[in-house]
């Protein structure tokens, strides 16, 4: 009896820890729509209202053949430090001072969920 209870509590705790740590692509989506869609478009197709005025076009985040070539580290760096620090256009702003590490990871998780074919490391 007691052992069963302990196992149940243990499983519940494990589940809670996992959900707390899991990258939350729903949160990521909200932030993407708020901060990124102006240029990248809500669906990631680089068709946001500001996209037309960009001299350098962002990639289509729905295109898995392009996006899967970019590592999570590259995505994290360009989002947190901006395009110019990774040899890309400075038109891509740095978000590191506005967004926490976890928020950027949530956004990456959302971006990965857009890609077709899916990114090999995306198991969500
Ligand atoms: C002011 C317009 C603008 C905003 C806002 C913006 N980006 Fe970008 N982003 C760009 C441009 C332009 C590039 C292309 C840079 C290049 O290829 O040199 C880019 C590139 C990227 C890339 C690399 C892949 C690609 O599309 O070329 C990622 C990932 C990215 N942005 C994520 C984000 C995220 C996440 C946000 C919101 C937190 C965001 N961007 C907000 C303009 C923007």
């Amino acid at each position: 009896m007691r052992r069963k209870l302990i196992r149940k509590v243990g499983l519940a705790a494990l589940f809670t820890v996992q959900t707390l740590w899991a990258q939350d692509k729903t949160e990521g989506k909200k932030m993407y729509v708020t901060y990124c869609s102006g240029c990248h478009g809500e669906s990631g197709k680089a068709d946001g209202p500001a996209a037309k005025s960009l001299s350098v076009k962002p990639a289509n985040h729905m295109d898995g053949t392009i996006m899967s070539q970019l590592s999570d580290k590259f995505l994290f760096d360009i989002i947190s430090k901006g395009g110019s620090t990774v040899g890309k256009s400075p038109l891509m702003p740095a978000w590191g001072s506005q967004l926490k590490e976890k928020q950027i990871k949530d956004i990456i998780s959302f971006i990965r969920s857009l890609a077709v074919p899916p990114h090999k490391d995306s198991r969500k």
Side-chain angles (χ1 to χ4, degrees):
M1 250 329 251
R2 211 182 142 84
R3 193 172 278 173
K4 230 180 188 172
L5 184 70
I6 289 171
R7 202 163 65 200
K8 261 194 191 150
V9 172
L11 274 178
L14 197 72
F15 183 73
T16 314
V17 168
Q18 268 184 345
T19 31
L20 279 178
W21 281 99
Q23 294 312 321
D24 190 337
K25 66 177 182 221
T26 314
E27 282 303 308
K29 178 176 183 166
K30 280 187 214 151
M31 288 181 280
Y32 192 90
V33 169
T34 310
Y35 301 109
C36 323
S37 64
C39 295
H40 289 279
E42 289 199 16
S43 56
K45 281 192 276 188
D47 56 358
K52 283 193 193 79
S53 57
L54 296 171
S55 52
V56 180
K57 293 275 171 279
N60 177 356
H61 293 180
M62 291 181 81
D63 188 337
T65 48
I66 298 172
M67 294 310 287
S68 291
Q69 292 172 29
L70 308 175
S71 67
D72 284 355
K73 184 183 180 315
F74 175 83
L75 295 184
F76 190 90
D77 286 348
I78 192 168
I79 297 169
S80 68
K81 298 182 214 152
S84 55
T85 57
V86 292
K88 292 284 191 170
S89 167
L91 290 169
M92 167 60 192
W95 299 93
S97 56
Q98 289 175 65
L99 301 173
K100 295 193 184 78
E101 190 179 327
K102 162 87 169 104
Q103 292 178 302
I104 294 178
K105 288 186 174 165
D106 286 348
I107 293 176
I108 293 174
S109 159
F110 170 68
I111 292 177
R112 290 299 192 203
S113 77
L114 294 173
V116 182
H119 185 248
K120 58 179 168 25
D121 289 345
S122 291
R123 297 184 193 95
K124 281 148 227 147

